[in-house]
Amino acid sequence: MSVFFDHQVKLPYSGHVTDIQWHKTQGLLAIACISQTNGATVTICEAEGDPLPDAVIRRTRMATTLQWHPIKKVLATGWETGEVIIRSEQEKETFEATRIHKAEITIMHWTSNGMRLLTGDASGLLVMWKSETRGCLHQMPLYQKSVGEALTQIVITPPPVMEAANDLLSLARAAVSGDEKALDMFTWQKGKTDPKLSAAAMGVVEANTFFVASKNGTVYYVGDSDKLIQKFSADGPIKKLLYYDEKNILVTITSALMLILHSVSGGGDAKEILKVKMNGKAENVDMNWAGKGVLATCTGERFIRMWDLEQDENYVLDPGNEIMDPSETIICCAFSPGEGILAGGTGSGKIAFWKYCPLQLHSGKKEEPENCWQLQTPASISGPVSDLAFGSSRCLLAVNTIENVFILNEQKPSICCTQGTAAIQTGTMQLSVDIFSSGMHFDLKTDIQVKGVCTTKNALAICDGKQVVVYEVSESSSTFCVAGSFNSASQHMCIYEQNIYTLEPGKIQVRNFQGIVKQLLPLTDAEDVIISMTVCTHFLVVATEMGAVKVFDLSRREAKHHAGPKYLRSSIMEFGGIISAKCNANGSKISVIVSKFNNMPDSNIYIWDTETDTIQFFNFATGRDEADDFVAGADGDAGSTLAEKGKCQSAKDVAGRHPISHFWDWEEPRLFVCEAKVLEIDQKVPSSSASKSLSPILDDAEDVMIISLFCTSDNGILIQDSFSCPVCCESLLALEIPCYFFKKKVDYKKNDSHTLESNFQLFQPQISPASMVLRRLHRDFVGLENADKAARDAMMNFSFYLTMGDMDEAFKAIKVIKSESVWENMAKMCVKTRRLDVARVCLGNMGHARGAKMLREVAKEPELDAQIAVLAINLGLHEDAERLLKNCHRYDILREFYQSHGDWEKALSIAEKYDRIHLRTTCYNYAKHLESQGDYMEAIKYYEKSGTQGFEIPRMLFDDLIAFENYVNKSKDRALQRWWAQFQESTGEMEAAMKYYNTAQDFLSLVRIYCFMNDVDKAVEVCSQTGDRAACYHVARQFENNDQLQEAINFFTRAQAYGNAIRLCKDHGYDDKLLNMALLGKPDDMVEAARYYEVKPGHQDKAVMLYHKAGYFSKALELAFSSKEYSALQMVSESLDDSTDPHLLQRCADFFNENSQFDRAVDLLAAAKRYWDALKICMEQHVPMTEELVEKLTPSKEMEESDAIGRNKILEGIGEVCMAQRQYHLATKKFTQAGNRVKAMKALLKSGDTEKIVFFASVSRQREIYIMAAHYLQTLDWQKDPEIMKNIITFYTKGRAPEPLSGFYDACAQLEIDEFQNYEKALGAMGEAYKCLSRINPEEQNQEDLKLGDLKNRMTLVNRFIKAKSLYSQNSEEAVRQCQALLNEPGYERAVRSGDIFGFLAEHYAKCEKWKMAYNCIEEIRGSHNANLSYYVSPKTIEAVYKALNLPVKDTLKIKNNLESNTNDEFEGEILDEDVIADD
């Protein structure tokens, strides 16, 4: 945690400070003062607070406003006299503007790039000045306007947004052409800039529009057109104007604490969007931006009010009573955007700091915004704080106390801890020094500001960047004495013995304590910059900005080169720079922490082995070193050894971090320690085969861990121990066995609730309560803190070999140690190293019988972590036990652990979240604990949660009956109420007992008491109202005892105790009620009543019915046959199934067959498995074959296994019966089940279901079925359905039936000729038919030769006709000749219709106007075929022939009528004879 150190500015002229202003980029502070003796002054100081020479402006009247140029070192000052004076530190000149203002200057503001300056005065005059390159103003202003009232506030609006690339290009061109303003822009850009300022400064577009406010509350807009436009008026004077750039919102606060928000659009138009009254005192108001859209407001209260415009949230930041007294108020505030620090000052000189740290939420829960502001270490100065201002170059805070100005510099305190001496900076010129060897503590006050400190065993050196002062401890007086001082610009230095090593520009000088230079150490590169210089034992390590590391040996009279330089840039991937480098005790290992090239922290720590010149690394993101980081299967699987599992678990414990500091032990060269912090979310290592199980630590893990490691060339880097940084400690300072050294938190108190954590015994007592250092014993050296060096070395070797897994060497190392406490400490080490085998040995040497026993018992647990947790519990390592049990998810053991230690809140939480099976047990145990503590009310609560209140609460409160009665009255637990009623009954309090029995709804007990008191009517009333069966039974027994049988039977019935009611009915002859009772009762009751009726003449039908209802079907049938109760037999038969005796089923079937109830007879025969008899009745008596009956007649699968042939015959019989009854689908199904697919197909064909026929043929895959299906499909209208035609061809092909297929193709050919006159398609179909006939077996070929010859002849004739028609377009005469020749061929009409030939000729002759020959062809068609003329010859041709031969028109009309008649006939689906039409 950083702190602010104050430094008072030494002003050349004292007085009351009226204003302070920081330059936005240059680190210059302007201070305005007024005094009666010195007049008014404005002084310019450096960031350190030193006034610049000759940088003072003096006047007689007060300076009222200060305004720095946004880029240049130019200060504009406004004075009470109306003067405007410009001071340029670049030119070292002061300029005075033309005296235009006659009144006090009240407002002043530069434009965004400083080209113009706007000033306003108390008379309302507003003047715009143009600035020159040197900073002075032009003689004449650009314009001046007057509003007639005093101007009080001004705020600039942002410029229009332009692309940065265009801005830079324009700026570069201007700079090259000699524009001094553009050159100033580039000069300005070299420094660190405000991001808001950069866009305006680097852009060509200038922000030169403003809002100004007057004293009366009027707000004006000063636009680009130099016009002053009134926008709105507020209610009263305006205290503050602010502008929210991102949202274009103008924020106004008035003297009456009215907060007004206006949305600003183009041209400065302002629309009010919010108006609210703020709390606080109106005379003390300060408001500033505290982040993006966040307003921090001081209104004379003890806290700062925050208003987030972005999220529309309000909250307060309260510094607390520890920093401020309850009566104090915060009167001013300031915010540093770069550091995210908000400061608030009080009238008593106290300054509170908050740092904005956005929370990383892993659980998805919304966090309160005030929790993002972390309270920092406060500061206190002399005098009341009246104003605060942050500088932007560094985190510098200027504080105005009216009489003085202080500059508070945020910096990390200088710290050094070496050889048992620790020095921690606590103030600007104050150190807290502890010397642990002598137990002395000092609060050392220095004469210079402390910017660097280093220590040795008896010496201390400090520096401020200008001077070095060396102190030595005087053993006689136990004080620090100055041993020497000298001038040096060094801020980094180290001490070894009597030499001090100072890092000065370009060199390292070796001096004595008086500053005399003894040696100059050479650097690797003169241009390189040293960033780290440390000493360990007698080795000096130097690291440079370019990544070079060099080691010097200081053990001789002069420092000698030891190793290096080693250039890490070429050895480390993504190398950005060295953060720190340190050396081990013998100079063989150099540990280095680096950053990546993107300034992100590197998760590795690198070890340079100076002897082998190699680099190792340990990756804190995965918790493994270089050798294990990429090893597959290194996750500690089931096949791993204990050492490997321990190594894996240690890696998981520290994974997901990066190192922030590191220290080597001064004596043990193998041991070093790292302080590691959790990686940010976007820095975590992506999943890989080596890191899946080593995913970054859990969300609730500690932020910082201390990890000690062993490093050797042969074995790499191994984790030796790890623990969370104690909550009372801020950071790690050093490791010097046997202790870790920590810096104590500033707000740590000795009596704090979390003092030194639960393992406080590991901390050594502080030298003094004022000491800033805490020491914690190393885990391995508990009990050996005062041992000699040999014992320490032995323990260190043991720890090393144990970490390595070499148990033989480990036990050899500790042979010399006999202390029981050491063995206990080593057993505790086994918890970290996960070595249960070693732990057993240690427990044996300790004589820890209970721990050894529990370790043997827990060995059966499958999780190693659970076994180690039990060991940790026995050794008192409760935190480790808790962590291990959570890690292995053994919440049952963790719950028991919490219970045994009395941490009931955690135990209940664990049981509720993770171990609910034991939740009631945990509640019960906690209730027992509370009872033992006398907290009965809480015990009752948890007894109720455990579900044991019915027994435990009466037991617990039995001695306090009044309390118990009160509890029962409040409780709704019926068990408790019943218990209390029973208790009252036992004491003879019958009225109270009946009351609580009634409340508990225990009606049996209530009725029992009424009967005991001979109040049967009340008992009957209770039974009638409640219907409680137990109560009714009790009343029935009471009536039975009193021989009131009717009432007894009635209440037995209401109690559903039908057996008792039947018993009374039988014994006393209530036959009319017996049957009803039996039917309501159980089967046993029915059987009992049936037996009674069976022997009673005339009541056998009731016996049959009761036997039937009770499920005794055989008995019911036998009784029905024997007593000839056929009506009852009809009823019984409906419930018969195949589980009934087959003989009885046969008898029933015969009975129904004789009585012509054939369907019932068939059902019973089917149940009796008399299938053939049933089928015979179905066939002879025409019993309808329903699907249900068919399934009953179908034999079961068991019969298929025993008699498959018989089952198939029965199935075929069922199919034959279904065929006879035209149930074709059922017949198909049964034939298929019988395996007779041919019969099944025949049945399906008779159904005419084409879709199922096609499907059945496709799935059957039998030749006969394919052919049958194809034959059937040919009977359909296949000419109009291509799908049917396709199936016919497919089935004939699959059925290997070429002859039928040939006939089908022949039919297709004839169809093409007759219907469409398409001889080409017909010829194709004939060709397919010919191919099919050709595929017939040779044995049958002789029978088909004639068919082949005939088909071939027909194909020839058709082909000739086709060729003749195709030849017509080329040689019509030849085509006609061929057609005429075709007519002379014998039998041509079997292939080509004569009508087609004569029609072709008629068309030809008509075309050639040979009308007579055409007419002869037409008559030939008419006379020879009685054919439809229009089918062969077009109507136009016929009409033309008739007209040419002057035939009567009547004949032509006949032709037309013939055509119309044919059209209608075709539409109606009928074919009429042509001669009939002609006769009409």
Side-chain angles (χ1 to χ4, degrees), residues 57-350:
I57 306 174
R58 298 189 66 182
R59 290 292 186 272
T60 57
R61 303 290 294 275
M62 183 175 65
T64 54
T65 58
L66 304 176
Q67 188 68 218
W68 282 101
H69 192 280
I71 304 171
K72 301 176 182 178
K73 295 181 181 181
V74 174
L75 176 66
T77 60
W79 300 79
E80 197 174 16
T81 58
E83 294 177 275
V84 177
I85 299 176
I86 307 298
R87 171 65 185 181
S88 174
E89 279 304 311
Q90 289 176 331
E91 304 294 332
K92 301 297 181 182
E93 292 184 79
T94 302
F95 309 98
E96 185 175 349
T98 305
R99 290 288 296 271
I100 295 178
H101 292 286
K102 306 300 181 183
E104 172 189 345
I105 303 296
T106 54
I107 61 172
M108 181 182 293
H109 209 295
W110 294 92
T111 56
S112 61
N113 56 14
M115 295 176 63
R116 301 181 182 186
L117 177 66
L118 186 67
T119 59
D121 61 24
S123 67
L125 181 62
L126 194 67
V127 180
M128 179 67 79
W129 306 86
K130 183 175 178 58
S131 172
E132 294 184 355
T133 305
R134 295 184 301 164
C136 61
L137 304 179
H138 284 197
Q139 257 189 333
M140 296 304 297
L142 295 175
Y143 66 87
Q144 50 184 317
K145 304 285 183 181
S146 179
V147 298
E149 54 181 339
L151 301 175
T152 58
Q153 296 290 325
I154 183 171
V155 65
I156 190 171
T157 62
V161 179
M162 291 187 64
E163 294 184 5
N166 294 336
D167 292 349
L168 290 174
L169 182 60
S170 302
L171 196 62
R173 289 173 178 170
V176 171
S177 62
D179 190 342
E180 293 185 6
K181 182 189 70 174
L183 288 173
D184 290 338
M185 297 284 189
F186 278 117
T187 304
W188 162 82
Q189 193 190 14
K190 291 180 182 179
K192 294 182 179 178
T193 60
D194 184 354
K196 290 184 180 179
L197 187 64
S198 62
M202 288 302 296
V204 176
V205 178
E206 182 182 19
N208 53 11
T209 56
F210 302 86
F211 281 99
V212 294
S214 67
K215 183 178 180 180
N216 295 330
T218 305
V219 176
Y220 299 90
Y221 176 71
V222 182
D224 295 331
S225 59
D226 300 336
K227 293 182 179 179
L228 190 67
I229 305 171
Q230 179 179 340
K231 290 300 178 182
F232 62 90
S233 295
D235 299 332
I238 293 176
K239 286 274 189 178
K240 192 83 169 183
L241 277 182
L242 296 170
Y243 198 84
Y244 185 13
D245 296 349
E246 287 78 3
K247 298 290 186 179
N248 284 324
I249 294 176
L250 179 66
V251 182
T252 307
I253 184 168
T254 68
S255 58
L257 294 187
M258 292 297 298
L259 184 68
I260 310 169
L261 301 184
H262 287 84
S263 176
V264 180
S265 57
D269 295 333
K271 180 181 179 182
E272 183 178 312
I273 57 177
L274 182 66
K275 187 175 184 180
V276 64
K277 179 71 168 67
M278 300 176 64
N279 293 328
K281 300 177 182 179
E283 62 271 14
N284 295 322
V285 179
D286 191 17
M287 175 184 287
N288 288 289
W289 291 116
K292 184 178 179 181
V294 179
L295 284 173
T297 309
C298 302
T299 55
E301 299 168 295
R302 70 182 314 275
F303 46 75
I304 298 178
R305 293 185 178 272
M306 308 295 288
W307 185 19
D308 192 337
L309 300 180
E310 193 78 22
Q311 303 296 330
D312 193 21
E313 292 182 325
N314 294 279
Y315 53 95
V316 297
L317 301 181
D318 192 340
N321 295 330
E322 294 182 358
I323 296 178
M324 289 174 48
D325 294 333
S327 60
E328 286 186 275
T329 60
I330 298 177
I331 59 177
C332 59
C333 63
F335 180 71
S336 172
E339 301 296 329
I341 293 179
L342 176 66
T346 71
S348 62
K350 295 178 182 178

Side-chain angles (χ1 to χ4, degrees), residues 74 141 173 193 229 373 393 504 526 607 621 648 659 667 669 677 680 685 891 976 1111 1222 1249 1253 1291 1365 1416:
V74 174
R173 289 173 178 170
T193 60
I229 305 171
W373 293 90
S393 60
E504 300 181 25
I607 308 295
C648 178
E667 295 181 355
K677 188 177 182 180
E680 301 293 336
V685 178
Y891 298 108
L976 285 175
R1222 297 187 178 183
D1249 192 336
I1253 290 170
F1291 290 155
K1365 289 174 69 177
N1416 290 337

Side-chain angles (χ1 to χ4, degrees), residues 416-423 433-435 437 453-461 470-473 480 494-500 513 535 537 666 736:
C416 185
C417 182
T418 307
Q419 293 179 290
T421 301
V433 184
D434 294 294
I435 303 177
S437 59
V453 62
C454 63
T455 64
T456 61
K457 187 175 182 180
N458 296 310
L460 168 69
V470 184
Y471 298 86
E472 283 187 322
V473 179
F480 270 104
C494 297
I495 301 178
Y496 176 71
E497 294 182 349
Q498 296 299 312
N499 294 332
I500 184 166
F513 287 174
V535 169
T537 62
W666 272 64
E736 294 181 13

Side-chain angles (χ1 to χ4, degrees), residues 787-832:
D788 57 10
K789 188 176 185 305
R792 291 185 182 182
D793 290 343
M795 180 53 67
M796 182 58 66
N797 289 329
F798 172 80
S799 179
F800 173 72
Y801 289 120
L802 184 62
T803 304
M804 294 294 302
D806 190 346
M807 299 312 304
D808 294 336
E809 293 295 330
F811 284 118
K812 287 179 184 179
I814 56 169
K815 284 182 178 180
V816 297
I817 302 176
K818 303 298 181 184
S819 172
E820 183 178 322
S821 62
V822 175
W823 285 107
E824 181 181 358
N825 184 41
M826 288 190 290
K828 292 178 179 179
M829 291 167 57
C830 295
V831 174
K832 288 287 186 181

Side-chain angles (χ1 to χ4, degrees), residues 929-981:
H929 169 74
L930 292 171
E931 182 183 351
S932 66
Q933 299 293 319
D935 191 352
Y936 290 153
M937 298 308 296
E938 281 296 309
I940 288 173
K941 174 182 174 183
Y942 283 95
Y943 275 134
E944 289 175 347
K945 287 186 177 182
S946 68
T948 59
Q949 69 273 17
F951 173 78
E952 294 294 342
I953 294 179
R955 176 195 57 75
M956 181 176 66
L957 298 179
F958 190 76
D959 294 333
D960 189 356
L961 293 178
I962 296 176
F964 183 50
E965 184 176 7
N966 292 334
Y967 173 74
V968 171
N969 290 331
K970 295 178 182 178
S971 173
K972 296 181 180 180
D973 191 332
R974 294 180 183 178
L976 285 175
Q977 292 168 346
R978 187 182 301 112
W979 190 96
W980 183 248

Side-chain angles (χ1 to χ4, degrees), residues 54 76 257 426 518 613 699 1076 1086 1158 1227 1273 1408 1433 1462:
D54 301 326
L257 294 187
T426 57
K518 300 168 62 178
D613 196 24
D699 297 338
N1076 292 333
M1086 295 179 186
F1158 304 113
L1273 293 176
C1408 297
V1433 184
N1462 285 338

